[in-house]
Amino acid sequence: MVHAYIHQYVVLHQPLWQTEDYKRALELIPSLKDLVKNPFLMTLSLEVLPRMVDSEQHLSGTRITRVALYDQFVEQWLERGKKRLGEKELSSQARAAFESLSDEGFTQNGIHFLKSLAMAIYKKQGGQPVVEYSRFKDEGSWKDTFFSREDEKQLLREACPLTRSGNQHRFIHRSLLEYGLARAIFDPHDTKAKATPESALTRRGSVSSTLSFEIHGLEEETTVEEYVPDLDSPLAWRSFVNEHSLLHFLEERVQQEPIFKEQLLAYIEHSKVDKKYRTAAANAITILVRAGVQFIGANLKGIQIPGADLSFGMFDSAQLQRADLRKTNLRGLWLRQADLSLARMTGVQFGELPFLTEHDAVRSCAYSLDGELFAVGLDNGDINVYTTSSWERVRTLSGHGQLVRGVAFSRTGHRIVSGSDDATVRLWDIETGACLVAFTGHSDNVQSVAYSPHEDLIASASSDKTVRLWDASTGAWLLILTGHGKAVLSAVFAPNGKQIASGSADNTVRLWQVGTGACDRTLIGHRNRVWSIAYSPHGDAVASASDDKTIRLWDVESGTCRHIMTGHSNYVYGVAYSPKGDQIASAGKDGTGLLWDVESGSSRRTLAGHSGAVMSVAFSPKDGHVASGSLDKTVRLWDIENNSTSRHIASGHNMGVRAVKYSPNGAQVASCSVDNTIRLWDTETGISRQTLRGHGGTVFGIAYSPYGEQIASCSADLTVRLWDMETGDCCTLSGHSDWVNGVAYSPNGGFVVSCSKDKTMRLWDVRTGDCCQTFLGHTGGILCTAFSPRGHQVASGSLDGTVRLWSIETGVCQLILSGHSDHVWSIAYSPKGDQITSAGEDATIRIWDVETGECQMVLKGHAESVSSITYSPRGDLFASGSWDKTVRIWSVESGRCVATIPNFQDCIYGLDWLASTDGHCYLMTGSRDGSVFMWEVAEGDPYKAHMRWGATNGALAVAGATIRDVQGLSQLNTQLLKQLGALSTPVNASQ
């Protein structure tokens, strides 16, 4: 459809580019693909791209922003308007006015007119886009300033992107009104903006050196010449926190213009002492957080930002004492070790309620129809029932002999039906807790249960390949639905009660008539087991969740698939429709829940926080919450009223990070993930600049070539890929027969070595892509590999518990290093090449002599498996990451742990060091929760590591935050923060 539109546009408008030029740009410019999903931006892009981009250049490294498209579009529109007016027959007065405008700069005058009109519309009409102007009624009013018959104003109106219908005037598209206001707030060409004093930014892109902000770890506070921010700015008029399109323009300006960033920080600084700046400060910090600016260790004492949206912001170790945070949105915020003492926090939102902690894994959950009760099915066979008004447990239903896979409420909410691996279905009276009926007849596990809308029938799905319909009052079975070829994993009634949908391990969904048991339709498309089924509220669609990692949305009438929703990186176990039918929630083995837009099929939000597989999801019928039940023994309760996701979060990994690597010049860091992608991050700012897509499975390892012109990656798709950093071209190397777990470049860049679960290593010629050596000898899959600094040798670590050293020239194994009692997860050569260090499943680190193979040292300290290891550039230190959620830094000489970085949310798979030209040492970490962090390591006793920037998966993190004497924090929010590790108890907590 997009290509057809492009072809039509080229035929009609005959632009500088041909159809193929546009197609190539859309294919190769990563940011453009997302932008043109908006129809207006598609049209706008087709018009301006030929003047913005050279179609002959390498496009994969080109980054185009939304604000840049609008800048170019408005200028082109005004230039065309000037040309059209210049060719038009004008009166002598109008001609004189036109020449005057042209002498002063017609485009600049047009932009000033556009900005002024946008400001007036927002100030006088609250942003309502249509301006009604009557010459007689509005003479002398603000409208007269723009719509009078004065020659200059008529000319500028005619040249600007405005449209008129009768006496109604408006911009040709609402987004141009928002663009005009954004440009009025900050115009990069405004001489006043250029005159603003600019401070030196912190070394790695933090806010710490602006004004009085400081970062933990810097020896002294840095200040700049005081700049008094403008209270006449639109930022000071009112809150723009919910104007997402406007904020999008402004956040891109922040990323492009350091002066604008300084201006916004000044508003925040001045709010500390003058409440007149509160509104502007709340807008300012909202923009900065959305732009990815991080406030790690910042001095924010006393800031006044009521109503700000800090969602997904990074505020670790921030000083927020006495801050006015009333009614702020703190969803997904990182506040670890922050100090919130005496902060005002009435009405803050964290995006979730306190979670329910169970004694066993949660398999199933359901709300009653009125939303007053909530039931949880557990692995120990119990069903716990909660009241949602206080989330207190009101009943435990015991009787099943094995885990409970399904629970459902009757329409009245007085009864619960449950299904278990004990092959029974049970009907419970909630008030008394009594089991009213035990339904027997299935010969295998009962996977799912459902109540009919009329409460007269109960359906159960079983591993015995059948769906059974039971009389709800007597327990007698009425009908057996047969036809599935394997276990039936889910069954649910249509809203009208006349149809049942079932999902099966035979990869199909079937639709059955309740009255006759006949199968109306079989829906085929999933490539693996279908675990869960949900009807839309109107019954016209069915959603299905599968082991093929997708959710499919089916049309009930035709049986066609409307959408295939991809986003989970592992099996999808649960699916549910929202009460309005506009959203779908899904539950995944990857430990996340996802919210989807039904109309577009796109993902709206990731529900991150569980530490185990999410088995079920359920929408509350009454209050905008979603519940997710997990094998981590918790039920998380999410507030989904506001589902906007930070672009900074959206641009990061949504699944575990397997490796991180600095580029040779240190300007970039690459990370690879279970989400099948490689992401390239700006080392200064922490902003994700590019995503490399192409692998068909988890990307386990990455490596930069010695000069940084190429990246090698390896994947569960059995391939190695070589990516050209300039062109984006990719060469695929095939030959392994199982997962490829690691890659490394030779020191001269001529070769790449890869290791695989197939027990082999392969040496590839980078220039030709040929495999020129295969290394055989390990008795288990090979998990890691490394080239020696001299390039004459390659090392490997294996599931067989050994490290082997191989000759590059002959392919012969020179040494076998034995000592680990289990898998070797990671290995690293020392910079001099005289030592090799290995990290093991046995929670130990071993240092070996490369010449003799002697184990020189065994280091213990981690509580669980050591998953990653890397040497510092000088070779005097190495860092290790572990499943115990810590990173340790060790002295090579003494073997002593000189520093520990605690409080990671999950295990650390990726580590890499960078020696910077500024004399500082930086450590990069990548974790299984999808986060990437950059740390500055400062020498001392002990060494100290201070976070410079981080990219998280959007989970709320408050471990170690101080909430002493916080004012106005509700009891529920207090409970949530304590569950997540916050310290102390606020006074005067209110409900």
Side-chain angles (χ1 to χ4, degrees):
M1 189 168 109
V2 171
H3 288 173
Y5 182 82
I6 291 172
H7 177 72
Q8 185 180 14
Y9 177 88
V10 170
V11 171
L12 287 174
H13 297 279
Q14 297 184 344
L16 296 175
W17 278 11
Q18 298 302 311
T19 302
E20 292 305 314
D21 295 323
Y22 284 112
K23 288 181 180 179
R24 183 167 175 269
L26 286 173
E27 178 65 29
L28 295 178
I29 300 176
S31 57
L32 196 58
K33 297 175 186 178
D34 292 327
L35 287 170
V36 299
K37 291 176 182 177
N38 178 301
F40 179 71
L41 277 174
M42 164 66 94
T43 303
L44 187 149
S45 298
L46 296 178
E47 182 164 342
V48 304
L49 276 173
R51 290 182 60 173
M52 291 183 70
V53 177
D54 180 358
S55 63
E56 299 301 319
Q57 70 185 53
H58 297 305
L59 299 180
S60 60
T62 302
R63 184 171 181 264
I64 292 178
T65 62
R66 181 169 175 256
V67 74
L69 287 174
Y70 277 78
D71 285 342
Q72 185 68 40
F73 175 78
V74 168
E75 290 184 16
Q76 284 186 209
W77 187 285
L78 289 168
E79 287 170 7
R80 281 205 306 269
K82 177 186 176 183
K83 181 180 179 183
R84 185 174 62 252
L85 289 170
E87 296 170 349
K88 185 177 180 180
E89 187 173 329
L90 300 172
S91 69
S92 59
Q93 285 183 320
R95 177 63 60 184
F98 174 74
E99 289 175 357
S100 176
L101 288 171
S102 298
D103 290 343
E104 294 171 1
F106 191 90
T107 299
Q108 286 71 24
N109 274 302
I111 290 172
H112 178 74
F113 182 88
L114 180 146
K115 288 159 50 178
S116 300
L117 177 57
M119 280 200 297
I121 290 173
Y122 269 92
K123 192 166 190 177
K124 301 296 184 179
Q125 298 191 161
Q128 200 284 325
V130 178
V131 181
E132 293 186 1
Y133 174 74
S134 169
R135 177 184 174 190
F136 302 104
K137 177 183 173 183
D138 295 309
E139 187 173 3
S141 72
W142 71 271
K143 297 178 183 179
D144 208 37
T145 307
F146 303 97
F147 301 104
S148 72
R149 293 189 175 184
E150 292 179 22
D151 290 324
E152 281 195 2
K153 292 170 186 175
Q154 282 188 309
L155 292 169
L156 289 171
R157 278 202 311 276
E158 191 172 339
C160 278
L162 300 171
T163 183
R164 176 182 175 182
S165 176
N167 70 337
Q168 294 186 340
H169 302 261
R170 70 177 76 197
F171 285 91
I172 62 173
H173 193 267
R174 163 120 194 152
S175 61
L176 284 163
L177 169 62
E178 295 156 340
Y179 167 80
L181 184 64
R183 192 151 180 178
I185 291 170
F186 179 83
D187 190 333
H189 301 295
D190 191 333
T191 54
K192 289 184 179 179
K194 292 181 180 178
T196 304
E198 180 182 353
S199 67
L201 297 180
T202 302
R203 282 187 296 272
R204 291 290 165 185
S206 163
V207 301
S208 65
S209 62
T210 54
L211 305 161
S212 73
F213 301 149
E214 63 175 325
I215 233 172
H216 179 64
L218 294 184
E219 295 187 0
E220 60 182 62
E221 190 173 299
T222 306
T223 61
V224 300
E225 178 185 347
E226 185 171 358
Y227 161 68
V228 180
D230 182 11
L231 279 173
D232 291 328
S233 166
L235 291 176
W237 297 349
R238 67 174 177 87
S239 172
F240 292 108
V241 166
N242 294 316
E243 300 268 359
H244 298 294
S245 179
L246 170 66
L247 294 175
H248 191 177
F249 286 122
L250 294 172
E251 69 185 76
E252 290 185 339
R253 289 288 191 215
V254 169
Q255 294 171 351
Q256 297 166 4
E257 304 289 344
I259 289 177
F260 185 38
K261 176 181 171 183
E262 298 297 326
Q263 291 178 352
L264 296 177
L265 291 170
Y267 282 113
I268 301 168
E269 178 68 13
H270 279 72
S271 77
K272 294 179 178 180
V273 294
D274 192 340
K275 66 181 181 181
K276 292 196 301 290
Y277 288 93
R278 286 190 304 192
T279 299
N283 285 324
I285 200 165
T286 299
I287 295 164
L288 290 168
V289 168
R290 286 174 61 102
V293 175
Q294 304 194 357
F295 292 83
I296 300 166
N299 175 7
L300 301 173
K301 296 176 184 176
I303 64 167
Q304 300 183 68
I305 54 168
D309 187 352
L310 308 184
S311 298
F312 309 109
M314 182 65 74
F315 288 80
D316 274 11
S317 302
Q319 302 302 302
L320 286 158
Q321 298 94 316
R322 299 184 182 275
D324 185 352
L325 305 176
R326 291 173 298 165
K327 295 186 178 180
T328 53
N329 188 342
L330 307 181
R331 181 161 59 93
L333 197 70
W334 276 52
L335 273 169
R336 301 178 309 167
Q337 287 81 48
D339 192 339
L340 292 155
S341 300
L342 295 170
R344 302 166 70 185
M345 299 186 71
T346 303
V348 297
Q349 303 171 52
F350 289 103
E352 55 184 295
L353 299 178
F355 49 85
L356 309 179
T357 303
E358 303 290 352
H359 294 297
D360 215 329
V362 179
R363 290 282 171 175
S364 52
C365 61
Y367 281 94
S368 61
L369 193 65
D370 60 7
E372 297 296 324
L373 296 174
F374 182 76
V376 179
L378 304 174
D379 270 15
N380 64 5
D382 287 345
I383 301 150
N384 285 332
V385 183
Y386 295 83
T387 175
T388 59
S389 59
S390 63
W391 288 103
E392 293 182 359
R393 187 185 305 169
V394 295
R395 185 71 63 197
T396 296
L397 309 177
S398 300
H400 280 297
Q402 295 184 44
L403 63 87
V404 178
R405 291 189 182 270
V407 291
F409 281 89
S410 65
R411 176 171 282 276
T412 61
H414 296 145
R415 296 181 175 182
I416 285 177
V417 63
S418 58
S420 167
D421 274 9
D422 64 10
T424 70
V425 176
R426 289 177 179 259
L427 184 63
W428 309 85
D429 183 283
I430 296 175
E431 186 175 353
T432 66
C435 178
L436 302 176
V437 184
F439 303 71
T440 58
H442 282 298
S443 60
D444 209 333
N445 304 343
V446 178
Q447 297 281 349
S448 170
V449 290
Y451 242 114
S452 70
H454 307 300
E455 296 198 23
D456 57 333
L457 298 176
I458 287 170
S460 57
S462 171
S463 295
D464 65 11
K465 307 179 187 179
T466 70
V467 176
R468 288 184 178 239
L469 297 185
W470 312 81
D471 185 296
S473 57
T474 66
W477 66 266
L478 304 175
L479 205 59
I480 300 177
L481 310 181
T482 60
H484 281 295
K486 293 183 179 179
V488 187
L489 304 175
S490 181
V492 62
F493 282 96
N496 63 12
K498 296 180 180 180
Q499 191 179 66
I500 285 177
S502 61
S504 169
D506 66 9
N507 307 351
T508 70
V509 176
R510 288 180 178 245
L511 306 180
W512 312 81
Q513 293 180 18
V514 170
T516 65
C519 180
D520 288 332
R521 193 177 299 278
T522 301
L523 309 179
I524 299 174
H526 281 297
R527 292 178 286 105
N528 211 327
R529 291 175 291 193
V530 180
W531 278 105
S532 183
I533 299 289
Y535 273 97
S536 65
H538 297 296
D540 60 325
V542 164
S544 56
S546 169
D547 273 3
D548 65 10
K549 308 179 187 179
T550 72
I551 300 99
R552 288 181 178 245
L553 187 58
W554 308 87
D555 185 281
V556 169
E557 184 66 28
S558 66
T560 57
C561 182
R562 296 180 182 176
H563 292 298
I564 301 175
M565 305 175 188
T566 58
H568 284 288
S569 64
N570 213 317
Y571 303 158
V572 189
Y573 289 136
V575 67
Y577 258 97
S578 67
K580 294 179 181 178
D582 59 334
Q583 294 186 81
I584 286 173
S586 58
K589 187 179 180 180
D590 56 22
T592 70
L594 291 179
L595 294 180
W596 307 85
D597 180 77
V598 168
E599 184 176 355
S600 66
S602 60
S603 175
R604 284 184 172 181
R605 178 180 167 188
T606 299
L607 307 176
H610 283 293
S611 59
V614 183
M615 303 303 295
S616 58
V617 284
F619 279 92
S620 168
K622 66 172 186 175
D623 58 9
H625 290 138
V626 164
S628 57
S630 169
L631 297 185
D632 66 8
K633 303 181 183 180
T634 70
V635 176
R636 302 294 286 257
L637 304 167
W638 312 93
D639 182 347
I640 60 166
E641 287 298 313
N642 177 7
N643 278 330
S644 62
T645 298
S646 161
R647 261 171 291 280
H648 192 56
I649 296 298
S651 67
H653 292 293
N654 57 26
M655 288 311 306
V657 174
R658 297 294 308 204
V660 291
K661 291 293 179 184
Y662 280 106
S663 62
N665 64 7
Q668 190 179 75
V669 66
S671 59
C672 62
S673 169
V674 180
D675 65 13
N676 303 354
T677 70
I678 300 157
R679 296 181 189 263
L680 307 180
W681 308 82
D682 185 288
T683 309
E684 291 287 336
T685 64
I687 292 174
S688 176
R689 296 298 189 190
Q690 191 175 350
T691 301
L692 305 179
R693 292 183 171 88
H695 278 297
T698 295
V699 187
F700 288 113
I702 45 174
Y704 276 94
S705 61
Y707 299 104
E709 78 282 5
Q710 196 176 68
I711 284 180
S713 60
C714 59
S715 170
D717 66 8
L718 317 188
T719 70
V720 174
R721 288 179 178 246
L722 305 181
W723 308 83
D724 188 296
M725 290 291 92
E726 183 179 358
T727 67
D729 293 340
C730 175
C731 171
T732 302
L733 311 179
S734 300
H736 285 292
S737 60
D738 210 327
W739 293 357
V740 189
N741 293 315
V743 286
Y745 274 93
S746 62
N748 64 9
F751 298 93
V752 164
V753 66
S754 60
C755 64
S756 171
K757 193 178 175 183
D758 66 9
K759 306 178 188 178
T760 73
M761 289 197 302
R762 288 176 176 256
L763 187 67
W764 309 87
D765 186 301
V766 169
R767 185 178 57 83
T768 65
D770 294 335
C771 177
C772 46
Q773 187 77 263
T774 301
F775 303 88
L776 300 170
H778 278 293
T779 59
I782 306 175
L783 300 175
C784 50
T785 187
F787 254 103
S788 66
R790 288 168 48 198
H792 70 297
Q793 189 180 70
V794 67
S796 57
S798 169
L799 287 169
D800 64 19
T802 69
V803 176
R804 296 184 181 230
L805 307 183
W806 310 79
S807 166
I808 287 295
E809 185 177 352
T810 65
V812 172
C813 178
Q814 298 171 320
L815 284 173
I816 300 176
L817 313 180
S818 300
H820 285 290
S821 60
D822 212 326
H823 314 340
V824 178
W825 283 110
S826 182
I827 53 175
Y829 277 95
S830 64
K832 293 181 180 178
D834 57 332
Q835 291 178 334
I836 192 165
T837 301
S838 57
E841 176 77 11
D842 58 11
T844 70
I845 298 162
R846 292 176 178 259
I847 301 177
W848 311 82
D849 184 286
V850 169
E851 288 296 322
T852 66
E854 177 187 354
C855 181
Q856 299 176 326
M857 214 175 292
V858 180
L859 308 181
K860 298 180 180 180
H862 283 295
E864 296 185 50
S865 305
V866 187
S867 47
S868 52
I869 201 157
T870 182
Y871 272 90
S872 67
R874 292 187 308 189
D876 58 329
L877 303 172
F878 65 84
S880 58
S882 169
W883 279 68
D884 66 11
K885 304 178 184 178
T886 70
V887 169
R888 287 177 174 254
I889 299 173
W890 309 79
S891 165
V892 172
E893 183 178 359
S894 67
R896 184 170 64 94
C897 177
V898 297
T900 300
I901 308 176
N903 298 322
F904 285 89
Q905 302 294 99
D906 214 325
C907 65
I908 298 89
Y909 281 132
L911 286 173
D912 198 28
W913 287 90
L914 170 69
S916 174
T917 54
D918 60 15
H920 293 76
C921 203
Y922 300 97
L923 180 67
M924 205 75 203
T925 61
S927 176
R928 192 175 66 167
D929 66 356
S931 63
V932 176
F933 296 119
M934 181 175 176
W935 307 83
E936 180 182 341
V937 179
E939 192 169 349
D941 190 11
Y943 280 71
K944 292 183 178 180
H946 309 299
M947 190 191 298
R948 307 309 301 179
W949 59 259
T952 75
N953 65 353
L956 179 65
V958 298
T962 301
I963 54 174
R964 186 184 72 254
D965 297 335
V966 166
Q967 300 174 19
L969 192 65
S970 71
Q971 289 181 4
L972 285 177
N973 281 334
T974 301
Q975 183 183 346
L976 172 65
L977 296 186
K978 283 185 172 183
Q979 285 179 325
L980 295 173
L983 307 175
S984 191
T985 304
V987 297
N988 301 323
S990 61
Q991 190 68 41

